[in-house]
PDB file of all heavy atoms in Angstrom:
ATOM      1  N   ALA A   1     -53.613  19.554 -82.836  1.00 92.00           N
ATOM      2  CA  ALA A   1     -53.077  19.918 -81.430  1.00 92.00           C
ATOM      3  C   ALA A   1     -53.448  21.292 -81.189  1.00 92.00           C
ATOM      4  O   ALA A   1     -52.901  22.179 -81.805  1.00 92.00           O
ATOM      5  CB  ALA A   1     -51.587  19.735 -81.437  1.00 92.00           C
ATOM      6  N   GLY A   2     -54.587  21.492 -80.514  1.00 94.00           N
ATOM      7  CA  GLY A   2     -55.147  22.839 -80.233  1.00 94.00           C
ATOM      8  C   GLY A   2     -56.599  22.807 -80.232  1.00 94.00           C
ATOM      9  O   GLY A   2     -57.223  21.723 -79.838  1.00 94.00           O
ATOM     10  N   GLU A   3     -57.219  23.780 -80.736  1.00 94.00           N
ATOM     11  CA  GLU A   3     -58.775  23.866 -80.682  1.00 94.00           C
ATOM     12  C   GLU A   3     -59.305  22.822 -81.579  1.00 94.00           C
ATOM     13  O   GLU A   3     -59.071  22.641 -82.767  1.00 94.00           O
ATOM     14  CB  GLU A   3     -59.184  25.274 -81.110  1.00 94.00           C
ATOM     15  CG  GLU A   3     -58.930  26.329 -79.993  1.00 94.00           C
ATOM     16  CD  GLU A   3     -59.503  27.689 -80.339  1.00 94.00           C
ATOM     17  OE1 GLU A   3     -60.198  27.750 -81.270  1.00 94.00           O
ATOM     18  OE2 GLU A   3     -59.275  28.628 -79.578  1.00 94.00           O
ATOM     19  N   SER A   4     -60.306  22.152 -81.090  1.00 93.00           N
ATOM     20  CA  SER A   4     -61.002  21.072 -81.769  1.00 93.00           C
ATOM     21  C   SER A   4     -62.488  21.182 -81.417  1.00 93.00           C
ATOM     22  O   SER A   4     -62.936  21.301 -80.224  1.00 93.00           O
ATOM     23  CB  SER A   4     -60.378  19.662 -81.334  1.00 93.00           C
ATOM     24  OG  SER A   4     -61.126  18.723 -82.075  1.00 93.00           O
ATOM     25  N   SER A   5     -63.386  20.993 -82.391  1.00 93.00           N
ATOM     26  CA  SER A   5     -64.831  21.083 -82.200  1.00 93.00           C
ATOM     27  C   SER A   5     -65.274  19.685 -82.191  1.00 93.00           C
ATOM     28  O   SER A   5     -65.096  18.845 -83.132  1.00 93.00           O
ATOM     29  CB  SER A   5     -65.442  21.813 -83.415  1.00 93.00           C
ATOM     30  OG  SER A   5     -66.758  22.036 -83.155  1.00 93.00           O
ATOM     31  N   GLU A   6     -65.858  19.205 -81.018  1.00 94.00           N
ATOM     32  CA  GLU A   6     -66.291  17.940 -80.794  1.00 94.00           C
ATOM     33  C   GLU A   6     -67.766  17.710 -80.433  1.00 94.00           C
ATOM     34  O   GLU A   6     -68.321  18.621 -79.898  1.00 94.00           O
ATOM     35  CB  GLU A   6     -65.465  17.231 -79.572  1.00 94.00           C
ATOM     36  CG  GLU A   6     -64.042  17.367 -79.867  1.00 94.00           C
ATOM     37  CD  GLU A   6     -63.138  16.941 -78.648  1.00 94.00           C
ATOM     38  OE1 GLU A   6     -63.643  17.328 -77.474  1.00 94.00           O
ATOM     39  OE2 GLU A   6     -62.071  16.598 -78.743  1.00 94.00           O
ATOM     40  N   LEU A   7     -68.292  16.597 -80.829  1.00 96.00           N
ATOM     41  CA  LEU A   7     -69.658  16.293 -80.442  1.00 96.00           C
ATOM     42  C   LEU A   7     -69.710  15.474 -79.193  1.00 96.00           C
ATOM     43  O   LEU A   7     -69.082  14.425 -78.998  1.00 96.00           O
ATOM     44  CB  LEU A   7     -70.295  15.503 -81.597  1.00 96.00           C
ATOM     45  CG  LEU A   7     -71.794  15.277 -81.597  1.00 96.00           C
ATOM     46  CD1 LEU A   7     -72.525  16.599 -81.636  1.00 96.00           C
ATOM     47  CD2 LEU A   7     -72.190  14.500 -82.745  1.00 96.00           C
ATOM     48  N   TRP A   8     -70.410  16.016 -78.186  1.00 97.00           N
ATOM     49  CA  TRP A   8     -70.549  15.371 -76.825  1.00 97.00           C
ATOM     50  C   TRP A   8     -72.007  15.096 -76.529  1.00 97.00           C
ATOM     51  O   TRP A   8     -72.931  15.793 -76.957  1.00 97.00           O
ATOM     52  CB  TRP A   8     -70.013  16.205 -75.842  1.00 97.00           C
ATOM     53  CG  TRP A   8     -68.477  16.314 -75.752  1.00 97.00           C
ATOM     54  CD1 TRP A   8     -67.715  16.892 -76.710  1.00 97.00           C
ATOM     55  CD2 TRP A   8     -67.523  15.895 -74.804  1.00 97.00           C
ATOM     56  NE1 TRP A   8     -66.353  16.861 -76.390  1.00 97.00           N
ATOM     57  CE2 TRP A   8     -66.211  16.192 -75.187  1.00 97.00           C
ATOM     58  CE3 TRP A   8     -67.749  15.245 -73.527  1.00 97.00           C
ATOM     59  CZ2 TRP A   8     -65.167  15.939 -74.432  1.00 97.00           C
ATOM     60  CZ3 TRP A   8     -66.621  14.951 -72.734  1.00 97.00           C
ATOM     61  CH2 TRP A   8     -65.323  15.270 -73.260  1.00 97.00           C
ATOM     62  N   HIS A   9     -72.286  14.028 -75.831  1.00 97.00           N
ATOM     63  CA  HIS A   9     -73.665  13.644 -75.401  1.00 97.00           C
ATOM     64  C   HIS A   9     -73.726  13.747 -73.790  1.00 97.00           C
ATOM     65  O   HIS A   9     -72.916  13.179 -73.142  1.00 97.00           O
ATOM     66  CB  HIS A   9     -73.974  12.249 -75.850  1.00 97.00           C
ATOM     67  CG  HIS A   9     -75.338  11.832 -75.522  1.00 97.00           C
ATOM     68  ND1 HIS A   9     -75.757  10.693 -74.878  1.00 97.00           N
ATOM     69  CD2 HIS A   9     -76.587  12.536 -75.739  1.00 97.00           C
ATOM     70  CE1 HIS A   9     -76.989  10.493 -74.723  1.00 97.00           C
ATOM     71  NE2 HIS A   9     -77.487  11.683 -75.215  1.00 97.00           N
ATOM     72  N   HIS A  10     -74.632  14.465 -73.317  1.00 98.00           N
ATOM     73  CA  HIS A  10     -74.770  14.652 -71.859  1.00 98.00           C
ATOM     74  C   HIS A  10     -75.691  13.408 -71.371  1.00 98.00           C
ATOM     75  O   HIS A  10     -76.796  13.586 -71.115  1.00 98.00           O
ATOM     76  CB  HIS A  10     -75.446  15.980 -71.450  1.00 98.00           C
ATOM     77  CG  HIS A  10     -75.352  16.317 -70.139  1.00 98.00           C
ATOM     78  ND1 HIS A  10     -75.778  17.570 -69.515  1.00 98.00           N
ATOM     79  CD2 HIS A  10     -74.756  15.650 -68.979  1.00 98.00           C
ATOM     80  CE1 HIS A  10     -75.553  17.562 -68.254  1.00 98.00           C
ATOM     81  NE2 HIS A  10     -74.881  16.385 -67.951  1.00 98.00           N
ATOM     82  N   GLU A  11     -75.011  12.337 -71.228  1.00 96.00           N
ATOM     83  CA  GLU A  11     -75.639  11.092 -70.936  1.00 96.00           C
ATOM     84  C   GLU A  11     -76.261  11.049 -69.518  1.00 96.00           C
ATOM     85  O   GLU A  11     -77.407  10.508 -69.328  1.00 96.00           O
ATOM     86  CB  GLU A  11     -74.770   9.830 -71.008  1.00 96.00           C
ATOM     87  CG  GLU A  11     -74.303   9.604 -72.438  1.00 96.00           C
ATOM     88  CD  GLU A  11     -73.420   8.395 -72.516  1.00 96.00           C
ATOM     89  OE1 GLU A  11     -72.681   8.088 -71.535  1.00 96.00           O
ATOM     90  OE2 GLU A  11     -73.357   7.766 -73.554  1.00 96.00           O
ATOM     91  N   ALA A  12     -75.572  11.533 -68.547  1.00 96.00           N
ATOM     92  CA  ALA A  12     -75.976  11.514 -67.083  1.00 96.00           C
ATOM     93  C   ALA A  12     -76.728  12.713 -66.755  1.00 96.00           C
ATOM     94  O   ALA A  12     -76.918  13.004 -65.478  1.00 96.00           O
ATOM     95  CB  ALA A  12     -74.778  11.286 -66.259  1.00 96.00           C
ATOM     96  N   GLY A  13     -77.215  13.524 -67.658  1.00 95.00           N
ATOM     97  CA  GLY A  13     -77.872  14.774 -67.351  1.00 95.00           C
ATOM     98  C   GLY A  13     -79.113  14.942 -68.269  1.00 95.00           C
ATOM     99  O   GLY A  13     -79.988  13.961 -68.298  1.00 95.00           O
ATOM    100  N   CYS A  14     -79.210  15.951 -69.013  1.00 97.00           N
ATOM    101  CA  CYS A  14     -80.390  16.283 -69.754  1.00 97.00           C
ATOM    102  C   CYS A  14     -80.442  15.500 -71.245  1.00 97.00           C
ATOM    103  O   CYS A  14     -81.451  15.630 -71.930  1.00 97.00           O
ATOM    104  CB  CYS A  14     -80.384  17.771 -70.085  1.00 97.00           C
ATOM    105  SG  CYS A  14     -78.955  18.372 -71.029  1.00 97.00           S
ATOM    106  N   SER A  15     -79.494  14.693 -71.541  1.00 96.00           N
ATOM    107  CA  SER A  15     -79.517  13.874 -72.828  1.00 96.00           C
ATOM    108  C   SER A  15     -79.275  14.856 -73.992  1.00 96.00           C
ATOM    109  O   SER A  15     -79.580  14.370 -75.132  1.00 96.00           O
ATOM    110  CB  SER A  15     -80.702  12.988 -72.962  1.00 96.00           C
ATOM    111  OG  SER A  15     -80.619  12.029 -71.941  1.00 96.00           O
ATOM    112  N   SER A  16     -78.785  15.970 -73.889  1.00 97.00           N
ATOM    113  CA  SER A  16     -78.619  16.870 -74.947  1.00 97.00           C
ATOM    114  C   SER A  16     -77.280  16.525 -75.738  1.00 97.00           C
ATOM    115  O   SER A  16     -76.418  15.968 -75.137  1.00 97.00           O
ATOM    116  CB  SER A  16     -78.451  18.357 -74.528  1.00 97.00           C
ATOM    117  OG  SER A  16     -79.718  18.867 -74.007  1.00 97.00           O
ATOM    118  N   TRP A  17     -77.278  16.820 -77.043  1.00 96.00           N
ATOM    119  CA  TRP A  17     -76.170  16.761 -77.788  1.00 96.00           C
ATOM    120  C   TRP A  17     -75.535  18.086 -77.917  1.00 96.00           C
ATOM    121  O   TRP A  17     -76.234  19.147 -78.078  1.00 96.00           O
ATOM    122  CB  TRP A  17     -76.395  16.278 -79.171  1.00 96.00           C
ATOM    123  CG  TRP A  17     -76.757  14.780 -79.302  1.00 96.00           C
ATOM    124  CD1 TRP A  17     -77.984  14.189 -79.108  1.00 96.00           C
ATOM    125  CD2 TRP A  17     -75.802  13.778 -79.323  1.00 96.00           C
ATOM    126  NE1 TRP A  17     -77.894  12.834 -79.152  1.00 96.00           N
ATOM    127  CE2 TRP A  17     -76.587  12.467 -79.146  1.00 96.00           C
ATOM    128  CE3 TRP A  17     -74.533  13.664 -79.389  1.00 96.00           C
ATOM    129  CZ2 TRP A  17     -76.022  11.267 -79.297  1.00 96.00           C
ATOM    130  CZ3 TRP A  17     -73.861  12.340 -79.479  1.00 96.00           C
ATOM    131  CH2 TRP A  17     -74.625  11.215 -79.388  1.00 96.00           C
ATOM    132  N   LEU A  18     -74.144  18.166 -77.577  1.00 97.00           N
ATOM    133  CA  LEU A  18     -73.458  19.476 -77.573  1.00 97.00           C
ATOM    134  C   LEU A  18     -72.455  19.433 -78.411  1.00 97.00           C
ATOM    135  O   LEU A  18     -71.747  18.386 -78.691  1.00 97.00           O
ATOM    136  CB  LEU A  18     -73.000  19.655 -76.118  1.00 97.00           C
ATOM    137  CG  LEU A  18     -74.087  19.442 -75.000  1.00 97.00           C
ATOM    138  CD1 LEU A  18     -73.283  19.354 -73.661  1.00 97.00           C
ATOM    139  CD2 LEU A  18     -75.007  20.624 -75.019  1.00 97.00           C
ATOM    140  N   VAL A  19     -72.058  20.645 -78.917  1.00 97.00           N
ATOM    141  CA  VAL A  19     -70.806  20.887 -79.617  1.00 97.00           C
ATOM    142  C   VAL A  19     -69.850  21.652 -78.646  1.00 97.00           C
ATOM    143  O   VAL A  19     -70.053  22.744 -78.222  1.00 97.00           O
ATOM    144  CB  VAL A  19     -70.910  21.663 -80.916  1.00 97.00           C
ATOM    145  CG1 VAL A  19     -69.558  22.027 -81.522  1.00 97.00           C
ATOM    146  CG2 VAL A  19     -71.815  20.893 -81.942  1.00 97.00           C
ATOM    147  N   VAL A  20     -68.684  20.949 -78.318  1.00 97.00           N
ATOM    148  CA  VAL A  20     -67.772  21.467 -77.378  1.00 97.00           C
ATOM    149  C   VAL A  20     -66.517  21.890 -78.187  1.00 97.00           C
ATOM    150  O   VAL A  20     -65.915  21.083 -78.834  1.00 97.00           O
ATOM    151  CB  VAL A  20     -67.388  20.476 -76.214  1.00 97.00           C
ATOM    152  CG1 VAL A  20     -66.348  21.000 -75.320  1.00 97.00           C
ATOM    153  CG2 VAL A  20     -68.723  20.112 -75.559  1.00 97.00           C
ATOM    154  N   LEU A  21     -66.057  23.116 -78.020  1.00 96.00           N
ATOM    155  CA  LEU A  21     -64.815  23.640 -78.600  1.00 96.00           C
ATOM    156  C   LEU A  21     -63.856  23.441 -77.432  1.00 96.00           C
ATOM    157  O   LEU A  21     -64.001  24.055 -76.413  1.00 96.00           O
ATOM    158  CB  LEU A  21     -64.921  25.030 -79.005  1.00 96.00           C
ATOM    159  CG  LEU A  21     -63.723  25.665 -79.687  1.00 96.00           C
ATOM    160  CD1 LEU A  21     -63.323  24.888 -80.917  1.00 96.00           C
ATOM    161  CD2 LEU A  21     -63.987  27.179 -80.003  1.00 96.00           C
ATOM    162  N   ARG A  22     -62.822  22.581 -77.684  1.00 95.00           N
ATOM    163  CA  ARG A  22     -61.893  22.247 -76.594  1.00 95.00           C
ATOM    164  C   ARG A  22     -60.446  22.321 -77.131  1.00 95.00           C
ATOM    165  O   ARG A  22     -60.212  21.936 -78.298  1.00 95.00           O
ATOM    166  CB  ARG A  22     -62.274  20.886 -76.144  1.00 95.00           C
ATOM    167  CG  ARG A  22     -61.474  20.315 -75.013  1.00 95.00           C
ATOM    168  CD  ARG A  22     -61.849  18.895 -74.543  1.00 95.00           C
ATOM    169  NE  ARG A  22     -61.670  17.890 -75.595  1.00 95.00           N
ATOM    170  CZ  ARG A  22     -60.473  17.139 -75.663  1.00 95.00           C
ATOM    171  NH1 ARG A  22     -59.610  17.306 -74.770  1.00 95.00           N
ATOM    172  NH2 ARG A  22     -60.373  16.296 -76.587  1.00 95.00           N
ATOM    173  N   ASP A  23     -59.607  22.770 -76.265  1.00 95.00           N
ATOM    174  CA  ASP A  23     -58.147  22.742 -76.639  1.00 95.00           C
ATOM    175  C   ASP A  23     -57.568  21.392 -76.274  1.00 95.00           C
ATOM    176  O   ASP A  23     -57.560  20.955 -75.052  1.00 95.00           O
ATOM    177  CB  ASP A  23     -57.346  23.780 -75.873  1.00 95.00           C
ATOM    178  CG  ASP A  23     -55.956  23.885 -76.330  1.00 95.00           C
ATOM    179  OD1 ASP A  23     -55.234  22.913 -76.557  1.00 95.00           O
ATOM    180  OD2 ASP A  23     -55.427  25.037 -76.490  1.00 95.00           O
ATOM    181  N   THR A  24     -57.142  20.532 -77.271  1.00 92.00           N
ATOM    182  CA  THR A  24     -56.789  19.255 -77.008  1.00 92.00           C
ATOM    183  C   THR A  24     -55.443  19.124 -76.273  1.00 92.00           C
ATOM    184  O   THR A  24     -55.100  18.041 -75.711  1.00 92.00           O
ATOM    185  CB  THR A  24     -56.606  18.422 -78.366  1.00 92.00           C
ATOM    186  OG1 THR A  24     -55.649  19.052 -79.212  1.00 92.00           O
ATOM    187  CG2 THR A  24     -57.888  18.259 -79.107  1.00 92.00           C
ATOM    188  N   ARG A  25     -54.716  20.292 -76.184  1.00 95.00           N
ATOM    189  CA  ARG A  25     -53.341  20.160 -75.512  1.00 95.00           C
ATOM    190  C   ARG A  25     -53.640  20.360 -73.954  1.00 95.00           C
ATOM    191  O   ARG A  25     -52.893  19.758 -73.168  1.00 95.00           O
ATOM    192  CB  ARG A  25     -52.518  21.257 -75.955  1.00 95.00           C
ATOM    193  CG  ARG A  25     -52.017  21.129 -77.419  1.00 95.00           C
ATOM    194  CD  ARG A  25     -51.395  22.314 -77.956  1.00 95.00           C
ATOM    195  NE  ARG A  25     -52.438  23.355 -78.000  1.00 95.00           N
ATOM    196  CZ  ARG A  25     -52.310  24.508 -78.560  1.00 95.00           C
ATOM    197  NH1 ARG A  25     -51.220  24.858 -79.277  1.00 95.00           N
ATOM    198  NH2 ARG A  25     -53.213  25.422 -78.523  1.00 95.00           N
ATOM    199  N   THR A  26     -54.581  21.233 -73.592  1.00 94.00           N
ATOM    200  CA  THR A  26     -54.779  21.460 -72.125  1.00 94.00           C
ATOM    201  C   THR A  26     -56.086  20.990 -71.640  1.00 94.00           C
ATOM    202  O   THR A  26     -56.335  21.096 -70.420  1.00 94.00           O
ATOM    203  CB  THR A  26     -54.856  23.008 -71.994  1.00 94.00           C
ATOM    204  OG1 THR A  26     -55.869  23.557 -72.716  1.00 94.00           O
ATOM    205  CG2 THR A  26     -53.415  23.593 -72.511  1.00 94.00           C
ATOM    206  N   HIS A  27     -56.991  20.510 -72.517  1.00 91.00           N
ATOM    207  CA  HIS A  27     -58.324  20.103 -72.169  1.00 91.00           C
ATOM    208  C   HIS A  27     -59.340  21.237 -71.650  1.00 91.00           C
ATOM    209  O   HIS A  27     -60.351  21.112 -71.117  1.00 91.00           O
ATOM    210  CB  HIS A  27     -58.435  18.977 -71.086  1.00 91.00           C
ATOM    211  CG  HIS A  27     -57.736  17.719 -71.544  1.00 91.00           C
ATOM    212  ND1 HIS A  27     -58.180  16.993 -72.621  1.00 91.00           N
ATOM    213  CD2 HIS A  27     -56.585  17.190 -71.228  1.00 91.00           C
ATOM    214  CE1 HIS A  27     -57.332  16.004 -72.814  1.00 91.00           C
ATOM    215  NE2 HIS A  27     -56.367  16.038 -71.959  1.00 91.00           N
ATOM    216  N   GLU A  28     -58.825  22.500 -71.921  1.00 95.00           N
ATOM    217  CA  GLU A  28     -59.556  23.677 -71.574  1.00 95.00           C
ATOM    218  C   GLU A  28     -60.885  23.714 -72.528  1.00 95.00           C
ATOM    219  O   GLU A  28     -60.729  23.597 -73.710  1.00 95.00           O
ATOM    220  CB  GLU A  28     -58.801  24.892 -71.788  1.00 95.00           C
ATOM    221  CG  GLU A  28     -59.628  26.190 -71.545  1.00 95.00           C
ATOM    222  CD  GLU A  28     -58.936  27.459 -72.055  1.00 95.00           C
ATOM    223  OE1 GLU A  28     -57.837  27.368 -72.612  1.00 95.00           O
ATOM    224  OE2 GLU A  28     -59.556  28.462 -71.800  1.00 95.00           O
ATOM    225  N   VAL A  29     -61.993  23.739 -71.926  1.00 96.00           N
ATOM    226  CA  VAL A  29     -63.285  24.007 -72.670  1.00 96.00           C
ATOM    227  C   VAL A  29     -63.428  25.497 -73.000  1.00 96.00           C
ATOM    228  O   VAL A  29     -63.556  26.271 -71.979  1.00 96.00           O
ATOM    229  CB  VAL A  29     -64.470  23.380 -71.935  1.00 96.00           C
ATOM    230  CG1 VAL A  29     -65.764  23.717 -72.738  1.00 96.00           C
ATOM    231  CG2 VAL A  29     -64.336  21.951 -71.728  1.00 96.00           C
ATOM    232  N   ILE A  30     -63.413  25.820 -74.226  1.00 96.00           N
ATOM    233  CA  ILE A  30     -63.547  27.186 -74.689  1.00 96.00           C
ATOM    234  C   ILE A  30     -64.937  27.678 -74.853  1.00 96.00           C
ATOM    235  O   ILE A  30     -65.375  28.667 -74.580  1.00 96.00           O
ATOM    236  CB  ILE A  30     -62.725  27.359 -75.984  1.00 96.00           C
ATOM    237  CG1 ILE A  30     -61.284  26.914 -75.735  1.00 96.00           C
ATOM    238  CG2 ILE A  30     -62.881  28.859 -76.477  1.00 96.00           C
ATOM    239  CD1 ILE A  30     -60.478  26.685 -76.926  1.00 96.00           C
TER     240      ILE A  30
END
């Protein structure tokens, strides 16, 4: 519950794989 490092795929864009650091409580992308 808090900061989490997640793997995201930009499917509808450039098709890049991204590491997104996100707060799971607020959904704020850090």
